[in-house]
Amino acid sequence: MTNAKGDINHNRRAFLAGIPAAAATVALGASQVAAQTPRPVASGRRLLGNLEVSELGLGVQNMHRTFHTVVPDRDEMIRLIRSAYEQGVTFFDCAEVYGPFTCERILGEAMAPFRNDVQVTTKFGFGVDPETGVWDFTVTSQPERIRRAVEGSLKRLGTDRIDLLYQHRVDPTVPIEEVAGVVQDLMDEGKVLHWGLSEMGPATLRRAHDILPVSAVQSEYSMLWRGREADILPLCAELGIGFVPFSPLGYGFLTGAIDMETSFAPGDFRAMTTRMDPENRAANMAVVDLARDWAAQKGAKPGQIALAWLLAQGDNIVPIPGTTQMPHLRDNIAAANLRFSADELADIRTALNGIQVQGGRAPELVANWSDVEAPDA
């Protein structure tokens, strides 16, 4: 991070006093936060801001309960995480709300033998009771809540620091400058090394980066949903911020595992999204067909095409496909070996632009948590 603690604290006080960030910085005689300049990394590695990670990560969100509502065997999940590490994955994505708490405990146990060789993320921002783990489906980033969440995550992960801490969703009642100030304090204590935001509005991202450089943004992005290409991806490129796509396989849709005969178990998140309604699903199968066509050309699988396409969208992009099955893990990791020429990428984009994806990507409650702008300080 480039800002000295004194500068950040001064800017933070200025924001809370109602002075624009630019004016506060100019008054200090300091320059505005510039784009983070990437440095060379080895093959198979990428940078999220200044945090070096494997080019593909592993999301552990469903290791307590899959979309199919199956509860995986805990020991098998630990073996899967360790197998991912043995195959070169060093970037593991978690959150306190996954479980809640359970996935952090699984990840903490799994990575204990190689903790110093991996980069771990977790997230705060939802109203999870720290004692019971009950989630009331609210968002909250009150300063005391952030600190309490981080202390709990450190304990469950069995570590003394979090490599990348995200605000899971923006709290519409707490200025992002106040959130950044708490995270800076945690950095000063060595408990957090880098920070990021998830599904925030673009103005909030810029404000956050001005006060404390942001390493990464997490948001949905795939061949099925490309909404971030219009706003957040260009902003990340401008500021040198990494981008971490969640649901890079469209919740399994882009693997070809879901067709018109598929029925969803009660409680399956995908059944609550209108893009999986039968009439919309029929139209959206065109994206899967496109991935299948390219898989045939490349001697690959549709899901591998989807991941390789994402990786080709920028060196600052690090997808985090989640899985609870070892064969799927191997398929996902192998996707990083696929390459597209510039002409091939142009052909794929032209084809995607000709497909009108139907339906919403999330239930209304979840959608309301996205693209939120933090209030003024």
Side-chain angles (χ1 to χ4, degrees):
M1 299 299 175
T2 58
N3 297 52
K5 180 181 178 183
D7 288 349
I8 290 174
N9 286 342
H10 183 102
N11 283 352
R12 180 175 161 195
R13 289 193 297 271
F15 265 107
L16 296 177
I19 302 173
T25 309
V26 170
L28 277 172
S31 62
Q32 281 286 85
V33 174
Q36 300 171 99
T37 303
R39 54 182 169 78
V41 293
S43 176
R45 308 286 291 175
R46 294 195 171 190
L47 286 175
L48 300 174
N50 292 317
L51 174 63
E52 183 176 326
V53 300
S54 54
E55 61 188 334
L56 274 174
L58 176 65
V60 305
Q61 177 179 359
N62 291 338
M63 291 191 174
H64 74 292
R65 179 181 179 273
T66 69
F67 286 125
H68 305 286
T69 71
V70 174
V71 176
D73 180 82
R74 181 189 180 92
D75 290 340
E76 288 182 6
M77 296 302 94
I78 290 172
R79 283 193 292 271
L80 188 144
I81 292 169
R82 291 178 176 174
S83 178
Y85 170 71
E86 291 166 0
Q87 296 177 68
V89 175
T90 67
F91 186 50
F92 296 92
D93 182 84
C94 200
E96 66 163 355
V97 77
Y98 299 161
F101 300 164
T102 307
C103 291
E104 285 185 324
R105 294 188 179 109
I106 292 171
L107 178 57
E109 182 176 347
M111 72 176 181
F114 44 78
R115 170 63 186 100
N116 291 332
D117 300 322
V118 298
Q119 302 80 47
V120 178
T121 82
T122 195
K123 310 175 191 73
F124 67 86
F126 283 119
V128 180
D129 186 283
E131 303 299 330
T132 66
V134 172
W135 176 27
D136 62 7
F137 293 92
T138 63
V139 295
T140 175
S141 286
Q142 294 296 328
E144 66 277 7
R145 179 64 186 82
I146 297 172
R147 178 169 288 279
R148 192 169 60 183
V150 168
E151 296 294 347
S153 291
L154 288 169
K155 184 177 299 185
R156 289 184 292 273
L157 290 166
T159 186
D160 61 352
R161 79 279 185 194
I162 296 164
D163 297 279
L164 176 57
L165 177 70
Y166 292 104
Q167 183 187 40
H168 210 156
R169 292 294 187 274
V170 171
D171 185 334
T173 70
V174 179
I176 197 64
E177 294 78 18
E178 190 169 342
V179 174
V182 177
V183 174
Q184 176 64 62
D185 291 342
L186 291 164
M187 288 179 172
D188 292 344
E189 296 167 21
K191 294 176 180 178
V192 172
L193 305 185
H194 303 265
W195 87 302
L197 289 85
S198 178
E199 295 273 286
M200 72 290 111
T204 295
L205 176 59
R206 190 177 288 278
R207 286 166 56 195
H209 188 72
D210 278 347
I211 197 78
L212 180 63
V214 173
S215 290
V217 162
Q218 188 173 120
S219 185
E220 182 169 352
Y221 182 37
S222 71
M223 293 174 73
L224 183 64
W225 194 78
R226 298 186 293 138
R228 295 300 171 220
E229 292 180 349
D231 53 7
I232 301 302
L233 280 168
L235 184 53
C236 286
E238 174 193 339
L239 299 176
I241 297 172
F243 188 90
V244 179
F246 70 74
S247 304
L249 296 172
Y251 297 103
F253 188 65
L254 295 172
T255 67
I258 297 171
D259 58 26
M260 295 307 298
E261 304 302 316
T262 300
S263 59
F264 299 103
D268 189 324
F269 174 85
R270 296 169 297 186
M272 306 174 200
T273 64
T274 57
R275 68 184 176 190
M276 287 297 105
D277 290 349
E279 62 276 15
N280 292 332
R281 195 188 319 173
N284 298 340
M285 288 299 298
V287 183
V288 181
D289 292 339
L290 176 63
R292 284 198 177 107
D293 289 345
W294 279 97
Q297 294 183 50
K298 294 288 188 178
K301 297 180 178 180
Q304 292 175 319
I305 294 296
L307 290 174
W309 178 83
L310 266 182
L311 287 166
Q313 300 312 299
D315 291 338
N316 67 328
I317 292 177
V318 179
I320 49 168
T323 184
T324 59
Q325 299 185 44
M326 201 72 74
H328 294 171
L329 173 67
R330 290 192 289 268
D331 286 346
N332 294 344
I333 292 172
N337 297 322
L338 290 175
R339 296 291 183 270
F340 297 106
S341 69
D343 287 345
E344 288 173 333
L345 288 170
D347 288 345
I348 294 173
R349 182 161 291 276
T350 297
L352 286 172
N353 288 342
I355 299 170
Q356 186 66 45
V357 174
Q358 303 294 317
R361 67 187 180 101
E364 183 178 2
L365 173 65
V366 178
N368 289 340
W369 293 330
S370 298
D371 307 307
V372 173
E373 299 287 7
D376 291 337

